[in-house]
Amino acid sequence: MASELKIEPIPAFDDNYIWLLSRNGSDACAVVDPGDDEPVREVLTKRGLKLKTILITHKHGDHVGGVAALKADWPKATVYGPAREPIPTLERRLGAGDVVELDELELSLDVLDVPGHTEGHIAYYAHGVLFCGDTLFACGCGRVFSGTFEQLSDSLRSLAELPTDTRVYCAHEYTMANIGFAKWVEPDNPDLAVREERVRDLREAGEPSVPSSLAEELLTNPFMRTDQPEVIAAAERWAGRELSSPAEVFTALRSWKDKDYD
Ligand SMILES: [Zn+2]
């Protein structure tokens, strides 16, 4: 009988989370987006874990910077990542429809294309668990770097179709700041007020605010609520014109946050 999959954050840099996947009774593990090798090595060494798999969501240095050094220490580890991004350390190149079978962890992950933050960003999904890198954040979303606003809008809309009990493992602890902007957009959203209080308590206790649930994102994350009248009205007020599609509302919200908030 399989033990439960354990998913734990390894904090890195100022606000990154490298996700560690393991199971009790096995020394095999996987990590998602190891931007730094040192904190990963420290945890794996202390726990006697062997790195079998490295999963990459996109090309940015704070997600891939530790791959080469980890691979040197655990040469049998396999490095998976997005086919459409230039990442020299990749061994298996993935896109939508691919499935990653991690036999040691008894885990099968579906690959989703979620471009926008970068041009080839992918996410990994299995059994109500989503590793979405810098696409969807708790109460926010990634900036548009080498993708387009339309792509990121579409990607978030596709993630919104996943089961609402999906747990969202994003790659940064940005939640408190994101809630601040969400309150600009929807100052009267009661679910947002509840979330703010809960996240503040967690952060004051030194706990991560992630994973969140997709249900929670649909209730409080303005970037997942571009079809809601209050969100549309706020985006139109900022843009100073009528916005006729969710992608236009999304683009106004993302630009508003980029220019005026952070
Ligand atoms: Zn990034």
Side-chain angles (χ1 to χ4, degrees):
M1 178 103 136
S3 59
E4 200 186 338
L5 181 70
K6 288 200 325 193
I7 308 174
E8 303 159 85
I10 299 176
F13 309 116
D14 289 338
D15 52 33
N16 283 66
Y17 292 129
I18 299 165
W19 293 105
L20 170 65
L21 284 60
S22 65
R23 280 191 193 274
N24 282 335
S26 166
D27 63 0
C29 72
V31 291
V32 183
D33 284 350
D36 196 1
D37 54 294
E38 195 47 54
V40 175
R41 185 179 298 105
E42 195 180 311
V43 171
L44 268 54
T45 305
K46 191 158 46 174
R47 303 256 294 266
L49 291 170
K50 291 197 182 82
L51 186 59
K52 297 281 188 184
T53 305
I54 298 175
L55 300 166
I56 302 297
T57 63
H58 68 292
K59 65 185 180 183
H60 285 159
D62 63 324
H63 297 252
V64 301
V67 173
L70 290 172
K71 181 76 184 169
D73 283 9
W74 286 277
K76 287 182 184 159
T78 306
V79 186
Y80 297 85
R84 293 188 292 128
E85 299 211 340
I87 304 170
T89 46
L90 282 196
E91 296 167 328
R92 305 280 174 84
R93 308 178 74 80
L94 306 170
D98 286 334
V99 178
V100 180
E101 300 282 357
L102 304 181
D103 293 340
E104 298 92 346
L105 291 171
E106 297 169 58
L107 184 64
S108 167
L109 294 158
D110 292 328
V111 177
L112 315 174
D113 275 341
V114 287
H117 174 70
T118 58
E119 70 279 16
H121 199 305
I122 59 172
Y124 301 90
Y125 173 79
H127 305 299
V129 170
L130 174 71
F131 298 99
C132 52
D134 289 354
T135 297
L136 171 61
F137 288 132
C139 215
C141 70
R143 286 172 187 262
V144 173
F145 284 108
S146 49
T148 67
F149 287 90
E150 289 72 20
Q151 284 177 331
L152 189 50
S153 174
D154 288 349
S155 293
L156 293 178
R157 285 160 63 78
S158 71
L159 294 179
E161 300 299 316
L162 293 171
T164 54
D165 62 355
T166 298
R167 291 162 74 75
V168 178
Y169 291 84
C170 62
H172 287 275
E173 179 63 62
Y174 289 158
T175 317
M176 251 348 262
N178 285 342
I179 289 173
F181 177 73
K183 285 167 66 186
W184 284 15
V185 181
E186 289 191 282
D188 301 322
N189 180 337
D191 298 306
L192 192 53
V194 171
R195 186 172 197 182
E196 181 178 34
E197 200 169 319
R198 199 168 47 74
V199 170
R200 182 177 291 126
D201 288 348
L202 282 169
R203 297 305 294 147
E204 282 176 2
E207 299 288 331
S209 67
V210 289
S212 62
S213 74
L214 189 59
E216 187 171 30
E217 299 310 327
L218 294 171
L219 286 172
T220 58
N221 185 333
F223 299 99
M224 299 292 270
R225 292 170 60 75
T226 51
D227 57 349
Q228 297 292 312
E230 203 178 324
V231 174
I232 296 169
E236 288 183 339
R237 271 195 304 278
W238 183 82
R241 64 184 182 90
E242 207 173 299
L243 301 171
S244 58
S245 69
E248 282 194 0
V249 174
F250 172 82
T251 300
L253 289 177
R254 188 61 263 183
S255 306
W256 179 9
K257 189 165 190 258
D258 289 344
K259 291 191 170 110
D260 296 346
Y261 187 74
D262 53 17

